[in-house]
């Protein structure tokens, strides 16, 4: 089983957290601090990350199996699945095996790439995987967080330094392997995923993250049981930039859902 940790009382509704690329379970600690009184929270280190860095599956199927086996004991009662960026894609991909009561996605790519986009992304990930191993890791991290996706971090230097310091503890070789294994070029869902989604969806994006904020309209067109939350002053890493606000949004989303569950059919 992958390394994981839990907080709160098991009798409460469960929240299961999937972090993003180069992150760990620790990214969710500020959020969980606000939620653990009302929820049973589980956060894991995904394969190749954090305390699970020695888990390096050779196929996407093995990658999925490791995650499913780890969270299986916590999926027998009501639970919400929360995924950030890569973790959001993973959550969507695993829906064929899971039946959460609700799904929350943060800055997550929902729709598959076109064939042309797949080719470009595959080439980009190949280059980045080589840079991750060849460059001093600090240089790679500095370049990564200078990407337009993270542009609001430039005004939050304390948070940015903390993120880089934590990610320097990772294994560049393990991360390079995972980057190629679960790249959006090959690891994605079909375009009908929202039509097929049987539970309510919370989708969150930073307004300054233009790429993912633009998904909102397309999501609106495909999903009825939907909550949308746009966070000002934040870009891709909004769960770190606006941790308290995201925690409150998630709490409101879940309270509404579980309140409805007590009185009538959910949505």
């Amino acid at each position: 089983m992958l390394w994981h940790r839990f907080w709160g009382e098991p009798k409460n509704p469960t929240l299961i957290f999937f972090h993003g690329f180069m992150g760990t379970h620790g990214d969710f600690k500020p959020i969980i601090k606000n939620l653990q009184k009302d929820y049973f929270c589980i956060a894991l280190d995904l394969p190749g990350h954090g305390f699970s860095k020695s888990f390096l599956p050779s196929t996407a199927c093995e990658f999925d199996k490791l995650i499913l086996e780890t969270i299986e004991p916590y999926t027998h009662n009501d639970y919400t699945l929360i995924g950030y960026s890569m973790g959001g894609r993973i959550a969507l991909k695993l829906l064929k095996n899971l039946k959460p009561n609700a799904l929350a996605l943060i800055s997550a790519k929902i729709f598959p790439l076109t064939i042309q986009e797949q080719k470009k992304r595959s080439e980009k990930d190949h280059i980045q995987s080589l840079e991750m191993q060849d460059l001093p890791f600090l240089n790679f991290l500095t370049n990564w967080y200078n990407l337009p996706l993270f542009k609001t971090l430039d005004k939050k230097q304390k948070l940015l330094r903390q993120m880089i310091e934590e990610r320097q503890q990772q294994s560049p070789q393990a991360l390079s392997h995972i980057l190629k294994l679960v790249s959006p070029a090959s690891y994605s869902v079909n375009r009908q995923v929202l039509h097929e989604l049987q539970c309510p969806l919370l989708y969150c994006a930073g307004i300054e993250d233009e790429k993912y904020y633009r998904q909102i309209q397309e999501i609106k067109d495909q999903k009825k049981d939907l909550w949308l939350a746009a966070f000002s002053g934040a870009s891709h890493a909004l769960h770190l930039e606006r941790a308290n606000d995201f925690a409150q949004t998630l709490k409101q989303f879940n309270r509404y859902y579980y309140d409805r569950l007590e009185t009538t059919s959910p949505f």
Side-chain angles (χ1 to χ4, degrees), residues 126-142:
H126 177 69
I127 292 171
Q128 288 183 323
S129 68
L130 294 176
E131 290 178 345
M132 194 176 296
Q133 298 181 67
D134 297 339
L135 290 177
F137 195 36
L138 177 59
N139 290 11
F140 177 84
L141 290 170
T142 301

Side-chain angles (χ1 to χ4, degrees), residues 25-242:
H25 75 283
D27 291 348
F28 293 111
K29 283 184 178 179
I31 294 168
I32 291 172
K33 183 179 179 181
N34 285 281
L35 298 169
Q36 60 186 354
K37 289 184 179 179
D38 301 306
Y39 299 94
F40 183 51
C41 304
I42 295 103
L44 57 154
D45 285 348
L46 295 171
H49 293 74
F51 294 118
S52 298
K53 63 184 178 183
S54 62
F55 290 86
L56 295 176
S58 58
T59 67
C61 288
E62 291 178 13
F63 181 91
D64 293 349
K65 185 179 179 182
L66 281 169
I67 298 170
L68 290 168
E69 289 178 346
T70 301
I71 66 173
E72 193 276 335
Y74 309 107
T75 60
H76 300 291
N77 298 317
D78 294 340
Y79 72 98
T80 297
L81 199 56
I82 301 107
Y84 162 66
S85 195
M86 179 188 78
R89 283 192 295 110
I90 292 169
L92 285 168
K93 184 89 163 12
L94 296 183
L95 287 177
K96 63 181 182 293
N97 303 102
L98 298 170
K99 295 187 181 299
N101 296 83
L103 176 66
L105 301 176
I106 311 162
S107 306
K109 176 69 176 174
I110 293 180
F111 304 106
L113 301 176
T114 64
I115 294 176
Q116 185 177 8
E117 289 171 336
Q118 288 175 9
K119 182 179 179 180
K120 289 182 179 179
R121 182 58 190 254
S122 181
E123 293 171 352
K124 177 183 176 183
D125 287 345
H126 177 69
I127 292 171
Q128 288 183 323
S129 68
L130 294 176
E131 290 178 345
M132 194 176 296
Q133 298 181 67
D134 297 339
L135 290 177
F137 195 36
L138 177 59
N139 290 11
F140 177 84
L141 290 170
T142 301
N143 294 339
W144 182 271
Y145 288 109
N146 276 331
L147 293 171
L149 282 176
F150 302 101
K151 64 182 180 182
T152 51
L153 288 177
D154 187 53
K155 298 178 181 178
K156 301 165 185 174
Q157 287 296 312
K158 182 178 178 180
L159 173 60
L160 179 58
R161 286 194 299 271
Q162 178 185 342
M163 290 171 64
I164 290 177
E165 287 173 4
E166 291 175 351
R167 281 142 180 76
Q168 279 187 275
Q169 308 305 312
Q170 303 269 29
S171 165
Q173 291 74 26
L175 293 175
S176 173
H177 176 80
I178 297 301
L179 176 63
K180 291 181 287 186
L181 187 66
V182 296
S183 165
S186 57
Y187 188 96
S188 62
V189 295
N190 67 67
R191 194 159 191 86
Q192 300 301 309
V193 63
L194 294 187
H195 287 302
E196 298 168 358
L197 184 59
Q198 299 298 308
C199 65
L201 169 66
L202 168 64
Y203 179 80
C204 300
I207 292 177
E208 300 300 321
D209 181 4
E210 297 175 6
K211 179 179 178 180
Y212 289 85
Y213 182 62
R214 283 200 304 267
Q215 281 192 131
I216 286 180
Q217 186 57 53
E218 194 169 3
I219 294 169
K220 279 183 179 179
D221 294 340
Q222 293 202 29
K223 179 66 177 168
K224 294 182 179 180
D225 308 335
L226 175 68
W227 285 50
L228 295 170
F231 291 76
S232 61
S235 49
H236 197 64
L238 71 90
H239 65 310
L240 294 168
E241 298 180 73
R242 300 282 299 276

